[in-house]
Amino acid sequence: MTQPTGGQTEDKLMGGRVVLRQPADGFRAAIDPVLLAASVPATVRDSVLDIGTGTGAAALCLARRVPGIRVTGLELQRDLVRIAGENAALNELEATVAFVFGDILNPPPRLAPSGFDHVIANPPYLEAGTATLPENEARRAAVGEGAADLKAWVRFALSMVRPKGTVTFIHRADRIDGLLTELHGRAGEIVVFPLWPAIGKPAKRVLVRARRDIATPTRLAPGLILHAADGKFTAEAEAVLRDGWGLVL
C-alpha cells in the first residue's frame, strides 16, 4: 500500500496483478472481492455484472483472471464510479470492464434484464436497524443496508442473469438464512462455500452461488481455510489471493 495521494491509496491485489486506487477514508476493499471474483465460473466471451462494485476490485480481479470476458460494474456512489473507471484504465482493462452509476431499485436502462451470464455481489452486510453504522458516509453506505435490503439485492441479481446463469454472493455467515430464503424457488444448484478463518473456528463469511431456473438441490461445499496456525495464509488461500487461481465450488 502506498501513502494517500489526493485522499487515495494505491493497493495491489492478486499479487500485484491488479492495482487498486481507493479512498484513504471510507470503505476499503480487502480479500472479500478477490474471493468473490475467484468463485465465478466465467469463460471467454461471458458477460458479468458486478452489483455494488465500489472501486471495482472484484470486477477487475475477475477480468484479470479470465481474459476475454466482459464485466460491468454497477455502483450507487458517483465518486466510486469515477475511481473505478480510473482503476480500469490504470490496469489497462478499460476495453473489457465498464462501470456505470445506478441504483438496483431504479437501474439504468442500459442494463437489460436477463442480459448477463453471471452476476456477482458483495452486499452491505449490516441489516438496517440492527447495528450502529460508521460515521463516515461512504463507509456507512457500503456496510449498512439502505432502501435496498438483502431481498432486493437477490431479486435484482436474479432478474439480471440469463436463465441457467449463475449468481454469486459473498456475505456474512450469520445471514445465510436470508440468502437461501430469497433464492428458494427462484434458483437451484445452490452451493454454500464457507470461508473458515482457521481450523476449528466458525466461518464468518460464506460464498453462495446459485443458478437461475435450475432445480438441482442445495450442496454444502468443504470451503476454504484461510489461515494456518501461525496466522499466515494457507497455501490454498495464497493460490487464490496472490496467484489468481479460481475456486472450485
Side-chain angles (χ1 to χ4, degrees):
M1 181 181 73
T2 63
Q3 292 299 314
T5 301
Q8 296 180 12
T9 61
E10 187 171 285
D11 306 281
K12 291 179 171 57
L13 304 176
M14 288 175 54
R17 291 171 175 80
V18 171
V19 178
L20 189 76
R21 290 177 181 167
Q22 50 186 341
D25 297 320
F27 182 78
R28 295 175 54 78
I31 67 172
D32 283 6
V34 184
L35 294 166
L36 177 61
S39 70
V40 184
T43 57
V44 176
R45 290 187 292 277
D46 278 359
S47 59
V48 184
L49 175 64
D50 178 18
I51 308 171
T53 192
T55 55
L60 296 169
C61 286
L62 180 55
R64 182 68 79 211
R65 186 173 68 80
V66 188
I69 64 172
R70 293 175 292 111
V71 186
T72 301
L74 177 66
E75 174 53 47
L76 181 60
Q77 299 185 60
R78 287 187 183 274
D79 57 333
L80 297 186
V81 175
R82 175 184 55 78
I83 297 172
E86 294 171 353
N87 282 330
L90 181 65
N91 289 276
E92 299 182 342
L93 289 170
E94 65 269 38
T96 55
V97 183
F99 297 100
V100 296
F101 167 77
D103 187 343
I104 65 172
L105 297 178
N106 185 26
R110 65 179 291 184
L111 299 183
S114 303
F116 296 88
D117 298 297
H118 310 278
V119 176
I120 62 175
N122 182 7
Y125 56 79
L126 295 177
E127 188 173 3
T130 63
T132 302
L133 297 177
E135 293 184 4
N136 181 279
E137 182 179 357
R139 181 168 175 77
R140 184 169 64 248
V143 304
E145 290 180 356
D149 57 10
L150 183 57
K151 177 179 180 178
W153 280 75
V154 175
R155 296 201 173 189
F156 178 70
L158 289 172
S159 74
M160 299 307 297
V161 74
R162 63 168 176 78
K164 300 186 179 180
T166 71
V167 295
T168 308
F169 291 82
I170 188 167
H171 214 338
R172 284 177 26 158
D174 60 5
R175 299 202 65 189
I176 190 174
D177 55 343
L179 267 174
L180 296 180
T181 295
E182 295 306 323
L183 290 169
H184 180 69
R186 301 181 180 91
E189 202 175 292
I190 299 171
V191 183
V192 178
F193 189 93
L195 297 166
W196 311 105
I199 294 176
K201 293 188 177 181
K204 295 181 179 180
R205 294 282 191 276
V206 291
L207 287 159
V208 177
R209 191 176 74 204
R211 293 179 65 196
R212 176 183 161 187
D213 299 336
I214 294 289
T216 308
T218 299
R219 174 170 57 87
L220 179 62
L224 176 69
I225 299 173
L226 294 172
H227 297 97
D230 61 4
K232 296 180 180 179
F233 284 119
T234 61
E236 294 80 6
E238 283 277 1
V240 175
L241 298 173
R242 309 295 184 214
D243 300 332
W245 287 28
L247 285 169
V248 180
L249 274 61

mmCIF file with all atom_site columns, all heavy atoms in Angstrom, residues 6-26:
data_model
loop_
_atom_site.group_PDB
_atom_site.id
_atom_site.type_symbol
_atom_site.label_atom_id
_atom_site.label_alt_id
_atom_site.label_comp_id
_atom_site.label_asym_id
_atom_site.label_entity_id
_atom_site.label_seq_id
_atom_site.pdbx_PDB_ins_code
_atom_site.Cartn_x
_atom_site.Cartn_y
_atom_site.Cartn_z
_atom_site.occupancy
_atom_site.B_iso_or_equiv
_atom_site.pdbx_formal_charge
_atom_site.auth_seq_id
_atom_site.auth_comp_id
_atom_site.auth_asym_id
_atom_site.auth_atom_id
_atom_site.pdbx_PDB_model_num
ATOM 1   N N   . GLY A 1 6  ? -3.966  12.655  -2.717  1.00 0.00 ? 6  GLY A N   1
ATOM 2   C CA  . GLY A 1 6  ? -5.256  13.206  -3.072  1.00 0.00 ? 6  GLY A CA  1
ATOM 3   C C   . GLY A 1 6  ? -6.395  12.467  -2.402  1.00 0.00 ? 6  GLY A C   1
ATOM 4   O O   . GLY A 1 6  ? -7.462  12.293  -2.981  1.00 0.00 ? 6  GLY A O   1
ATOM 5   N N   . GLY A 1 7  ? -6.143  11.994  -1.166  1.00 0.00 ? 7  GLY A N   1
ATOM 6   C CA  . GLY A 1 7  ? -7.197  11.282  -0.442  1.00 0.00 ? 7  GLY A CA  1
ATOM 7   C C   . GLY A 1 7  ? -7.338  9.831   -0.831  1.00 0.00 ? 7  GLY A C   1
ATOM 8   O O   . GLY A 1 7  ? -8.315  9.188   -0.438  1.00 0.00 ? 7  GLY A O   1
ATOM 9   N N   . GLN A 1 8  ? -6.397  9.297   -1.606  1.00 0.00 ? 8  GLN A N   1
ATOM 10  C CA  . GLN A 1 8  ? -6.468  7.904   -2.047  1.00 0.00 ? 8  GLN A CA  1
ATOM 11  C C   . GLN A 1 8  ? -5.193  7.154   -1.685  1.00 0.00 ? 8  GLN A C   1
ATOM 12  O O   . GLN A 1 8  ? -4.141  7.747   -1.482  1.00 0.00 ? 8  GLN A O   1
ATOM 13  C CB  . GLN A 1 8  ? -6.672  7.821   -3.562  1.00 0.00 ? 8  GLN A CB  1
ATOM 14  C CG  . GLN A 1 8  ? -7.972  8.399   -4.060  1.00 0.00 ? 8  GLN A CG  1
ATOM 15  C CD  . GLN A 1 8  ? -8.089  8.276   -5.571  1.00 0.00 ? 8  GLN A CD  1
ATOM 16  O OE1 . GLN A 1 8  ? -7.317  7.577   -6.204  1.00 0.00 ? 8  GLN A OE1 1
ATOM 17  N NE2 . GLN A 1 8  ? -9.062  8.963   -6.140  1.00 0.00 ? 8  GLN A NE2 1
ATOM 18  N N   . THR A 1 9  ? -5.313  5.841   -1.606  1.00 0.00 ? 9  THR A N   1
ATOM 19  C CA  . THR A 1 9  ? -4.142  4.978   -1.513  1.00 0.00 ? 9  THR A CA  1
ATOM 20  C C   . THR A 1 9  ? -4.109  4.112   -2.764  1.00 0.00 ? 9  THR A C   1
ATOM 21  O O   . THR A 1 9  ? -5.112  3.954   -3.461  1.00 0.00 ? 9  THR A O   1
ATOM 22  C CB  . THR A 1 9  ? -4.190  4.063   -0.281  1.00 0.00 ? 9  THR A CB  1
ATOM 23  O OG1 . THR A 1 9  ? -5.338  3.210   -0.365  1.00 0.00 ? 9  THR A OG1 1
ATOM 24  C CG2 . THR A 1 9  ? -4.259  4.874   0.998   1.00 0.00 ? 9  THR A CG2 1
ATOM 25  N N   . GLU A 1 10 ? -2.944  3.566   -3.037  1.00 0.00 ? 10 GLU A N   1
ATOM 26  C CA  . GLU A 1 10 ? -2.799  2.655   -4.170  1.00 0.00 ? 10 GLU A CA  1
ATOM 27  C C   . GLU A 1 10 ? -2.383  1.291   -3.621  1.00 0.00 ? 10 GLU A C   1
ATOM 28  O O   . GLU A 1 10 ? -1.319  1.152   -3.031  1.00 0.00 ? 10 GLU A O   1
ATOM 29  C CB  . GLU A 1 10 ? -1.762  3.174   -5.159  1.00 0.00 ? 10 GLU A CB  1
ATOM 30  C CG  . GLU A 1 10 ? -1.697  2.363   -6.448  1.00 0.00 ? 10 GLU A CG  1
ATOM 31  C CD  . GLU A 1 10 ? -0.820  3.017   -7.490  1.00 0.00 ? 10 GLU A CD  1
ATOM 32  O OE1 . GLU A 1 10 ? -1.266  4.023   -8.090  1.00 0.00 ? 10 GLU A OE1 1
ATOM 33  O OE2 . GLU A 1 10 ? 0.309   2.525   -7.693  1.00 0.00 ? 10 GLU A OE2 1
ATOM 34  N N   . ASP A 1 11 ? -3.249  0.308   -3.802  1.00 0.00 ? 11 ASP A N   1
ATOM 35  C CA  . ASP A 1 11 ? -3.037  -1.013  -3.240  1.00 0.00 ? 11 ASP A CA  1
ATOM 36  C C   . ASP A 1 11 ? -2.923  -2.043  -4.358  1.00 0.00 ? 11 ASP A C   1
ATOM 37  O O   . ASP A 1 11 ? -3.313  -1.785  -5.496  1.00 0.00 ? 11 ASP A O   1
ATOM 38  C CB  . ASP A 1 11 ? -4.193  -1.372  -2.302  1.00 0.00 ? 11 ASP A CB  1
ATOM 39  C CG  . ASP A 1 11 ? -4.405  -0.311  -1.229  1.00 0.00 ? 11 ASP A CG  1
ATOM 40  O OD1 . ASP A 1 11 ? -3.640  -0.318  -0.261  1.00 0.00 ? 11 ASP A OD1 1
ATOM 41  O OD2 . ASP A 1 11 ? -5.323  0.517   -1.380  1.00 0.00 ? 11 ASP A OD2 1
ATOM 42  N N   . LYS A 1 12 ? -2.407  -3.205  -4.016  1.00 0.00 ? 12 LYS A N   1
ATOM 43  C CA  . LYS A 1 12 ? -2.233  -4.276  -5.000  1.00 0.00 ? 12 LYS A CA  1
ATOM 44  C C   . LYS A 1 12 ? -2.993  -5.513  -4.560  1.00 0.00 ? 12 LYS A C   1
ATOM 45  O O   . LYS A 1 12 ? -2.942  -5.913  -3.391  1.00 0.00 ? 12 LYS A O   1
ATOM 46  C CB  . LYS A 1 12 ? -0.749  -4.589  -5.190  1.00 0.00 ? 12 LYS A CB  1
ATOM 47  C CG  . LYS A 1 12 ? 0.021   -3.468  -5.890  1.00 0.00 ? 12 LYS A CG  1
ATOM 48  C CD  . LYS A 1 12 ? 1.485   -3.803  -6.039  1.00 0.00 ? 12 LYS A CD  1
ATOM 49  C CE  . LYS A 1 12 ? 2.194   -2.781  -6.940  1.00 0.00 ? 12 LYS A CE  1
ATOM 50  N NZ  . LYS A 1 12 ? 2.065   -1.416  -6.476  1.00 0.00 ? 12 LYS A NZ  1
ATOM 51  N N   . LEU A 1 13 ? -3.702  -6.119  -5.493  1.00 0.00 ? 13 LEU A N   1
ATOM 52  C CA  . LEU A 1 13 ? -4.451  -7.350  -5.267  1.00 0.00 ? 13 LEU A CA  1
ATOM 53  C C   . LEU A 1 13 ? -3.915  -8.433  -6.188  1.00 0.00 ? 13 LEU A C   1
ATOM 54  O O   . LEU A 1 13 ? -3.268  -8.146  -7.194  1.00 0.00 ? 13 LEU A O   1
ATOM 55  C CB  . LEU A 1 13 ? -5.948  -7.126  -5.549  1.00 0.00 ? 13 LEU A CB  1
ATOM 56  C CG  . LEU A 1 13 ? -6.632  -5.991  -4.777  1.00 0.00 ? 13 LEU A CG  1
ATOM 57  C CD1 . LEU A 1 13 ? -8.074  -5.841  -5.244  1.00 0.00 ? 13 LEU A CD1 1
ATOM 58  C CD2 . LEU A 1 13 ? -6.576  -6.236  -3.279  1.00 0.00 ? 13 LEU A CD2 1
ATOM 59  N N   . MET A 1 14 ? -4.168  -9.680  -5.823  1.00 0.00 ? 14 MET A N   1
ATOM 60  C CA  . MET A 1 14 ? -3.732  -10.819 -6.639  1.00 0.00 ? 14 MET A CA  1
ATOM 61  C C   . MET A 1 14 ? -2.232  -10.741 -6.942  1.00 0.00 ? 14 MET A C   1
ATOM 62  O O   . MET A 1 14 ? -1.803  -10.870 -8.085  1.00 0.00 ? 14 MET A O   1
ATOM 63  C CB  . MET A 1 14 ? -4.548  -10.906 -7.939  1.00 0.00 ? 14 MET A CB  1
ATOM 64  C CG  . MET A 1 14 ? -5.983  -11.360 -7.732  1.00 0.00 ? 14 MET A CG  1
ATOM 65  S SD  . MET A 1 14 ? -6.990  -11.313 -9.247  1.00 0.00 ? 14 MET A SD  1
ATOM 66  C CE  . MET A 1 14 ? -6.012  -12.294 -10.382 1.00 0.00 ? 14 MET A CE  1
ATOM 67  N N   . GLY A 1 15 ? -1.457  -10.513 -5.880  1.00 0.00 ? 15 GLY A N   1
ATOM 68  C CA  . GLY A 1 15 ? -0.015  -10.497 -6.046  1.00 0.00 ? 15 GLY A CA  1
ATOM 69  C C   . GLY A 1 15 ? 0.498   -9.399  -6.949  1.00 0.00 ? 15 GLY A C   1
ATOM 70  O O   . GLY A 1 15 ? 1.561   -9.530  -7.562  1.00 0.00 ? 15 GLY A O   1
ATOM 71  N N   . GLY A 1 16 ? -0.250  -8.298  -7.031  1.00 0.00 ? 16 GLY A N   1
ATOM 72  C CA  . GLY A 1 16 ? 0.161   -7.185  -7.875  1.00 0.00 ? 16 GLY A CA  1
ATOM 73  C C   . GLY A 1 16 ? -0.420  -7.215  -9.272  1.00 0.00 ? 16 GLY A C   1
ATOM 74  O O   . GLY A 1 16 ? -0.182  -6.293  -10.058 1.00 0.00 ? 16 GLY A O   1
ATOM 75  N N   . ARG A 1 17 ? -1.181  -8.244  -9.587  1.00 0.00 ? 17 ARG A N   1
ATOM 76  C CA  . ARG A 1 17 ? -1.793  -8.329  -10.914 1.00 0.00 ? 17 ARG A CA  1
ATOM 77  C C   . ARG A 1 17 ? -2.864  -7.263  -11.122 1.00 0.00 ? 17 ARG A C   1
ATOM 78  O O   . ARG A 1 17 ? -3.160  -6.893  -12.257 1.00 0.00 ? 17 ARG A O   1
ATOM 79  C CB  . ARG A 1 17 ? -2.400  -9.724  -11.139 1.00 0.00 ? 17 ARG A CB  1
ATOM 80  C CG  . ARG A 1 17 ? -1.366  -10.840 -11.260 1.00 0.00 ? 17 ARG A CG  1
ATOM 81  C CD  . ARG A 1 17 ? -2.052  -12.207 -11.257 1.00 0.00 ? 17 ARG A CD  1
ATOM 82  N NE  . ARG A 1 17 ? -1.095  -13.285 -11.482 1.00 0.00 ? 17 ARG A NE  1
ATOM 83  C CZ  . ARG A 1 17 ? -0.307  -13.792 -10.540 1.00 0.00 ? 17 ARG A CZ  1
ATOM 84  N NH1 . ARG A 1 17 ? -0.362  -13.299 -9.302  1.00 0.00 ? 17 ARG A NH1 1
ATOM 85  N NH2 . ARG A 1 17 ? 0.531   -14.768 -10.814 1.00 0.00 ? 17 ARG A NH2 1
ATOM 86  N N   . VAL A 1 18 ? -3.442  -6.789  -10.019 1.00 0.00 ? 18 VAL A N   1
ATOM 87  C CA  . VAL A 1 18 ? -4.435  -5.711  -10.071 1.00 0.00 ? 18 VAL A CA  1
ATOM 88  C C   . VAL A 1 18 ? -3.979  -4.600  -9.140  1.00 0.00 ? 18 VAL A C   1
ATOM 89  O O   . VAL A 1 18 ? -3.673  -4.833  -7.972  1.00 0.00 ? 18 VAL A O   1
ATOM 90  C CB  . VAL A 1 18 ? -5.829  -6.205  -9.651  1.00 0.00 ? 18 VAL A CB  1
ATOM 91  C CG1 . VAL A 1 18 ? -6.800  -5.031  -9.505  1.00 0.00 ? 18 VAL A CG1 1
ATOM 92  C CG2 . VAL A 1 18 ? -6.367  -7.205  -10.663 1.00 0.00 ? 18 VAL A CG2 1
ATOM 93  N N   . VAL A 1 19 ? -3.921  -3.386  -9.679  1.00 0.00 ? 19 VAL A N   1
ATOM 94  C CA  . VAL A 1 19 ? -3.616  -2.199  -8.879  1.00 0.00 ? 19 VAL A CA  1
ATOM 95  C C   . VAL A 1 19 ? -4.933  -1.480  -8.618  1.00 0.00 ? 19 VAL A C   1
ATOM 96  O O   . VAL A 1 19 ? -5.717  -1.247  -9.542  1.00 0.00 ? 19 VAL A O   1
ATOM 97  C CB  . VAL A 1 19 ? -2.634  -1.272  -9.616  1.00 0.00 ? 19 VAL A CB  1
ATOM 98  C CG1 . VAL A 1 19 ? -2.357  -0.019  -8.793  1.00 0.00 ? 19 VAL A CG1 1
ATOM 99  C CG2 . VAL A 1 19 ? -1.332  -2.017  -9.914  1.00 0.00 ? 19 VAL A CG2 1
ATOM 100 N N   . LEU A 1 20 ? -5.164  -1.158  -7.358  1.00 0.00 ? 20 LEU A N   1
ATOM 101 C CA  . LEU A 1 20 ? -6.458  -0.581  -6.974  1.00 0.00 ? 20 LEU A CA  1
ATOM 102 C C   . LEU A 1 20 ? -6.257  0.703   -6.194  1.00 0.00 ? 20 LEU A C   1
ATOM 103 O O   . LEU A 1 20 ? -5.687  0.702   -5.103  1.00 0.00 ? 20 LEU A O   1
ATOM 104 C CB  . LEU A 1 20 ? -7.242  -1.581  -6.121  1.00 0.00 ? 20 LEU A CB  1
ATOM 105 C CG  . LEU A 1 20 ? -8.696  -1.208  -5.834  1.00 0.00 ? 20 LEU A CG  1
ATOM 106 C CD1 . LEU A 1 20 ? -9.554  -1.458  -7.076  1.00 0.00 ? 20 LEU A CD1 1
ATOM 107 C CD2 . LEU A 1 20 ? -9.243  -2.000  -4.657  1.00 0.00 ? 20 LEU A CD2 1
ATOM 108 N N   . ARG A 1 21 ? -6.719  1.796   -6.772  1.00 0.00 ? 21 ARG A N   1
ATOM 109 C CA  . ARG A 1 21 ? -6.768  3.050   -6.030  1.00 0.00 ? 21 ARG A CA  1
ATOM 110 C C   . ARG A 1 21 ? -8.121  3.142   -5.342  1.00 0.00 ? 21 ARG A C   1
ATOM 111 O O   . ARG A 1 21 ? -9.151  2.877   -5.956  1.00 0.00 ? 21 ARG A O   1
ATOM 112 C CB  . ARG A 1 21 ? -6.552  4.229   -6.978  1.00 0.00 ? 21 ARG A CB  1
ATOM 113 C CG  . ARG A 1 21 ? -5.129  4.309   -7.515  1.00 0.00 ? 21 ARG A CG  1
ATOM 114 C CD  . ARG A 1 21 ? -4.939  5.430   -8.497  1.00 0.00 ? 21 ARG A CD  1
ATOM 115 N NE  . ARG A 1 21 ? -3.557  5.465   -9.011  1.00 0.00 ? 21 ARG A NE  1
ATOM 116 C CZ  . ARG A 1 21 ? -3.167  6.176   -10.043 1.00 0.00 ? 21 ARG A CZ  1
ATOM 117 N NH1 . ARG A 1 21 ? -4.038  6.952   -10.685 1.00 0.00 ? 21 ARG A NH1 1
ATOM 118 N NH2 . ARG A 1 21 ? -1.903  6.135   -10.446 1.00 0.00 ? 21 ARG A NH2 1
ATOM 119 N N   . GLN A 1 22 ? -8.093  3.522   -4.074  1.00 0.00 ? 22 GLN A N   1
ATOM 120 C CA  . GLN A 1 22 ? -9.333  3.617   -3.312  1.00 0.00 ? 22 GLN A CA  1
ATOM 121 C C   . GLN A 1 22 ? -9.194  4.701   -2.254  1.00 0.00 ? 22 GLN A C   1
ATOM 122 O O   . GLN A 1 22 ? -8.071  5.086   -1.894  1.00 0.00 ? 22 GLN A O   1
ATOM 123 C CB  . GLN A 1 22 ? -9.689  2.272   -2.684  1.00 0.00 ? 22 GLN A CB  1
ATOM 124 C CG  . GLN A 1 22 ? -8.593  1.588   -1.906  1.00 0.00 ? 22 GLN A CG  1
ATOM 125 C CD  . GLN A 1 22 ? -8.992  0.199   -1.442  1.00 0.00 ? 22 GLN A CD  1
ATOM 126 O OE1 . GLN A 1 22 ? -10.179 -0.146  -1.388  1.00 0.00 ? 22 GLN A OE1 1
ATOM 127 N NE2 . GLN A 1 22 ? -8.027  -0.630  -1.105  1.00 0.00 ? 22 GLN A NE2 1
ATOM 128 N N   . PRO A 1 23 ? -10.332 5.228   -1.783  1.00 0.00 ? 23 PRO A N   1
ATOM 129 C CA  . PRO A 1 23 ? -10.254 6.314   -0.808  1.00 0.00 ? 23 PRO A CA  1
ATOM 130 C C   . PRO A 1 23 ? -9.499  5.896   0.445   1.00 0.00 ? 23 PRO A C   1
ATOM 131 O O   . PRO A 1 23 ? -9.646  4.767   0.928   1.00 0.00 ? 23 PRO A O   1
ATOM 132 C CB  . PRO A 1 23 ? -11.727 6.599   -0.495  1.00 0.00 ? 23 PRO A CB  1
ATOM 133 C CG  . PRO A 1 23 ? -12.478 6.093   -1.691  1.00 0.00 ? 23 PRO A CG  1
ATOM 134 C CD  . PRO A 1 23 ? -11.715 4.896   -2.161  1.00 0.00 ? 23 PRO A CD  1
ATOM 135 N N   . ALA A 1 24 ? -8.706  6.803   0.967   1.00 0.00 ? 24 ALA A N   1
ATOM 136 C CA  . ALA A 1 24 ? -7.990  6.521   2.207   1.00 0.00 ? 24 ALA A CA  1
ATOM 137 C C   . ALA A 1 24 ? -8.964  6.399   3.373   1.00 0.00 ? 24 ALA A C   1
ATOM 138 O O   . ALA A 1 24 ? -8.733  5.635   4.311   1.00 0.00 ? 24 ALA A O   1
ATOM 139 C CB  . ALA A 1 24 ? -6.973  7.625   2.485   1.00 0.00 ? 24 ALA A CB  1
ATOM 140 N N   . ASP A 1 25 ? -10.063 7.145   3.308   1.00 0.00 ? 25 ASP A N   1
ATOM 141 C CA  . ASP A 1 25 ? -11.119 7.061   4.303   1.00 0.00 ? 25 ASP A CA  1
ATOM 142 C C   . ASP A 1 25 ? -12.335 6.418   3.653   1.00 0.00 ? 25 ASP A C   1
ATOM 143 O O   . ASP A 1 25 ? -12.512 6.466   2.444   1.00 0.00 ? 25 ASP A O   1
ATOM 144 C CB  . ASP A 1 25 ? -11.495 8.447   4.831   1.00 0.00 ? 25 ASP A CB  1
ATOM 145 C CG  . ASP A 1 25 ? -10.324 9.117   5.541   1.00 0.00 ? 25 ASP A CG  1
ATOM 146 O OD1 . ASP A 1 25 ? -9.604  8.415   6.269   1.00 0.00 ? 25 ASP A OD1 1
ATOM 147 O OD2 . ASP A 1 25 ? -10.145 10.338  5.353   1.00 0.00 ? 25 ASP A OD2 1
ATOM 148 N N   . GLY A 1 26 ? -13.180 5.824   4.462   1.00 0.00 ? 26 GLY A N   1
ATOM 149 C CA  . GLY A 1 26 ? -14.369 5.168   3.921   1.00 0.00 ? 26 GLY A CA  1
ATOM 150 C C   . GLY A 1 26 ? -14.141 3.682   3.748   1.00 0.00 ? 26 GLY A C   1
ATOM 151 O O   . GLY A 1 26 ? -13.175 3.108   4.249   1.00 0.00 ? 26 GLY A O   1
#
